[in-house]
Amino acid sequence: MLDLMSQRWEGRSLLAQLPSDVRECLVSRARTRIFPRGATICLQGESARALKIVTRGWVKLYRISETGQEALLETLCAGQSFDEIASLMGGECPSSAETLCECEIMFIDLATACSCKNAVAEITKAVMAAASDHMLDMMDQIEALKSRSGVERLSEYLVALSEDTDGTHEFMLPYDKVVLAAKLGMKPESLSRAFARLKSVGVKSELKRVVIQDVTKLKSMLTENALS
Amino acid sequence: MLDLMSQRWEGRSLLAQLPSDVRECLVSRARTRIFPRGATICLQGESARALKIVTRGWVKLYRISETGQEALLETLCAGQSFDEIASLMGGECPSSAETLCECEIMFIDLATACSCKNAVAEITKAVMAAASDHMLDMMDQIEALKSRSGVERLSEYLVALSEDTDGTHEFMLPYDKVVLAAKLGMKPESLSRAFARLKSVGVKSELKRVVIQDVTKLKSMLTENALS
């Protein structure tokens, strides 16, 4: 499943957008670091310095509100990058980043970007494509938070993890249910209730294991608005 | 109030980021169109062609979900732009745009951008700054939707409209309450209940008119988490 999610990003990843000479040059100057689970990669407001690419594992982007509450903005898997514009323009990290499991992160310092012909123009184009993808993802998220119920958001998430699967699908969630609840904008107890409601349409879950009896049926219930 | 909101954007607007020669050249080639209230400016998925700048009025960006529901993503006032990256990179409009009142919109075709020295680099920088602002706004919105109640989101919105005001503040909402509810991710009836709850802390509203008896008190209740 991890691989499936990574594949979704492979073609769209920032490095994939670059011509091979620029990519190789950047990678040769990048530094890679392994972080244990629960480690802070960067904090909101600090200088972004490097562009970050998740090369293994799962990372959460989050913010702490003035009143001390954490809001999970996004979870990123291998292939996805963050802080692109801030690192290119010398800005601040717009959010904090923490590992959800052991992770490998590649740091690319764009300020000292390589001097290959057209490197800056190519990197700028790739950064803009990545920013555009982030914006689309955030629009998807705002749309889901505003127009769909918790049960629908959970079903949509499970269907996305079952892409290209028909019939029965059994898999592990990539992170625990507390993180999943935060990602979907639900309280943990609401997520439990949502999973309970999905039992009647053939979705079972125990800890991180999920079984969908009939993915096609769940998909069609979603598009028919039958889960709201 | 409209002016107050516009001022907030003036310094950050895309045109303000450009050197005067590039700005003047772009503006001289731009075309401006006046739209009545409720007019469609562009539709999600169509070719973005031009960068759009709101020069007068209010615009809503929205999406229609597969099941036909509308999700309001953002409301934009004079000074704000949209479709920046898509117009620069030749992409599609990521959302639809509709006027909330009579509006004046400036269209700038970036594909035929002027040939002033460094124009492309300067425009690219301004487009990235605008994209970065949009991302910050979307992160704010996701944070608010996930970590704050409807009453808190409404209070936050009213406080933002009262910026730099202490004591009593009386003003008109920039659009009607159905739009406001959609913007805040609430059903119209939940917005009514939220306004009713705020009566006890000195907020009165009738149609679009709002009176906050003590802005400082409302602000401090928000930061003390006393409205949740």
Side-chain angles (χ1 to χ4, degrees):
Chain A
M1 206 284 313
L2 286 172
D3 286 338
L4 255 181
M5 289 295 275
S6 300
Q7 272 164 27
R8 191 196 144 196
W9 275 96
E10 215 166 13
R12 291 168 72 195
S13 81
L14 187 129
L15 289 177
Q17 313 276 329
L18 294 168
S20 56
D21 56 336
V22 178
R23 180 170 58 243
E24 277 158 31
C25 182
L26 277 189
V27 169
S28 73
R29 289 164 186 241
R31 66 194 168 87
T32 297
R33 241 183 96 185
I34 291 171
F35 290 87
R37 179 186 168 152
T40 296
I41 302 169
C42 61
L43 289 171
Q44 180 185 353
E46 65 182 27
S47 160
R49 277 187 219 101
L51 166 83
K52 290 94 173 169
I53 301 176
V54 184
T55 49
R56 182 163 55 81
W58 284 87
V59 167
K60 72 168 177 185
L61 302 184
Y62 69 98
R63 283 184 169 189
I64 304 289
S65 70
E66 278 183 30
T67 51
Q69 262 190 298
E70 178 182 308
L72 192 154
L73 300 173
E74 195 47 280
T75 54
L76 306 179
C77 61
Q80 291 188 278
S81 51
F82 56 106
D83 286 355
E84 298 92 356
I85 292 188
S87 60
L88 186 64
M89 299 182 75
E92 292 174 354
C93 301
S95 60
S96 303
E98 188 181 301
T99 57
L100 289 171
C101 55
E102 192 185 87
C103 284
E104 192 185 71
I105 310 290
M106 185 186 278
F107 294 81
I108 303 181
D109 185 348
L110 293 184
T112 59
C114 63
S115 52
C116 310
K117 197 182 158 214
N118 283 332
V120 174
E122 292 293 350
I123 292 168
T124 302
K125 236 198 294 180
V127 162
M128 267 201 289
S132 172
D133 278 345
H134 284 311
M135 282 204 272
L136 290 175
D137 285 347
M138 283 199 273
M139 285 182 182
D140 284 348
Q141 199 178 156
I142 292 171
E143 183 184 327
L145 286 167
K146 285 187 173 175
S147 67
R148 291 199 274 289
S149 68
V151 174
E152 287 173 303
R153 296 200 296 275
L154 171 61
S155 307
E156 210 169 39
Y157 177 79
L158 297 176
V159 162
L161 287 188
S162 311
E163 233 177 328
D164 306 322
T165 318
D166 293 323
T168 302
H169 188 213
E170 186 173 339
F171 56 92
M172 299 292 280
L173 294 171
Y175 27 71
D176 66 42
K177 285 184 177 165
V178 174
V179 175
L180 179 58
K183 179 184 167 80
L184 298 175
M186 301 163 81
K187 298 207 168 103
E189 55 271 28
S190 311
L191 181 69
S192 298
R193 276 196 298 273
F195 266 116
R197 273 201 54 197
L198 289 181
K199 262 187 201 159
S200 63
V201 294
V203 177
K204 281 180 210 158
S205 86
E206 208 195 311
L207 296 174
K208 288 162 88 171
R209 176 174 306 280
V210 175
V211 184
I212 305 177
Q213 229 151 46
D214 187 343
V215 174
T216 314
K217 185 181 161 197
L218 189 61
K219 274 184 206 168
S220 63
M221 289 190 77
L222 251 180
T223 47
E224 283 160 17
N225 227 340
L227 290 163
S228 51
Chain B
M1 204 286 312
L2 285 172
D3 287 336
L4 255 180
M5 288 297 275
S6 301
Q7 272 163 28
R8 191 194 144 198
W9 275 95
E10 214 166 14
R12 291 167 73 195
S13 82
L14 187 128
L15 290 177
Q17 314 275 329
L18 294 168
S20 56
D21 57 335
V22 178
R23 179 170 59 243
E24 278 158 31
C25 182
L26 277 188
V27 169
S28 74
R29 286 164 187 243
R31 68 194 165 88
T32 299
R33 240 183 97 184
I34 291 172
F35 290 88
R37 177 184 169 154
T40 297
I41 303 169
C42 61
L43 289 172
Q44 180 186 353
E46 64 182 28
S47 160
R49 278 188 218 102
L51 165 83
K52 290 94 172 170
I53 301 177
V54 184
T55 50
R56 182 162 56 80
W58 284 87
V59 166
K60 72 167 177 185
L61 302 185
Y62 69 98
R63 283 184 170 190
I64 304 288
S65 71
E66 277 183 32
T67 52
Q69 262 190 298
E70 178 182 309
L72 193 154
L73 300 173
E74 194 46 283
T75 54
L76 306 179
C77 62
Q80 291 188 278
S81 51
F82 57 105
D83 287 355
E84 298 91 357
I85 292 188
S87 60
L88 186 64
M89 299 182 73
E92 291 174 356
C93 302
S95 60
S96 302
E98 188 181 301
T99 56
L100 290 171
C101 55
E102 192 185 89
C103 284
E104 193 185 71
I105 310 290
M106 186 186 277
F107 294 82
I108 303 180
D109 184 349
L110 293 183
T112 60
C114 63
S115 53
C116 309
K117 199 183 155 209
N118 283 331
V120 173
E122 292 291 350
I123 292 169
T124 303
K125 237 198 294 178
V127 161
M128 267 202 289
S132 172
D133 279 345
H134 284 309
M135 280 204 273
L136 290 175
D137 286 345
M138 283 198 275
M139 284 182 182
D140 285 348
Q141 199 178 156
I142 292 170
E143 182 184 326
L145 286 167
K146 284 186 173 175
S147 66
R148 290 198 275 289
S149 68
V151 174
E152 288 173 302
R153 295 200 297 274
L154 172 60
S155 307
E156 209 169 40
Y157 177 78
L158 297 176
V159 162
L161 287 188
S162 312
E163 232 178 330
D164 306 324
T165 316
D166 295 323
T168 303
H169 189 214
E170 186 173 338
F171 57 92
M172 299 292 281
L173 294 171
Y175 27 72
D176 66 42
K177 285 183 177 165
V178 175
V179 175
L180 179 58
K183 179 185 167 79
L184 298 175
M186 302 163 80
K187 298 208 170 105
E189 54 271 27
S190 311
L191 180 68
S192 298
R193 277 196 298 272
F195 265 117
R197 272 200 55 198
L198 289 181
K199 264 188 199 158
S200 63
V201 295
V203 177
K204 280 180 210 156
S205 86
E206 208 196 309
L207 297 174
K208 288 162 86 172
R209 175 174 305 280
V210 175
V211 184
I212 306 177
Q213 229 152 47
D214 187 344
V215 174
T216 315
K217 186 180 160 197
L218 190 61
K219 274 184 204 167
S220 63
M221 290 190 76
L222 252 179
T223 48
E224 282 159 18
N225 226 342
L227 289 164
S228 53

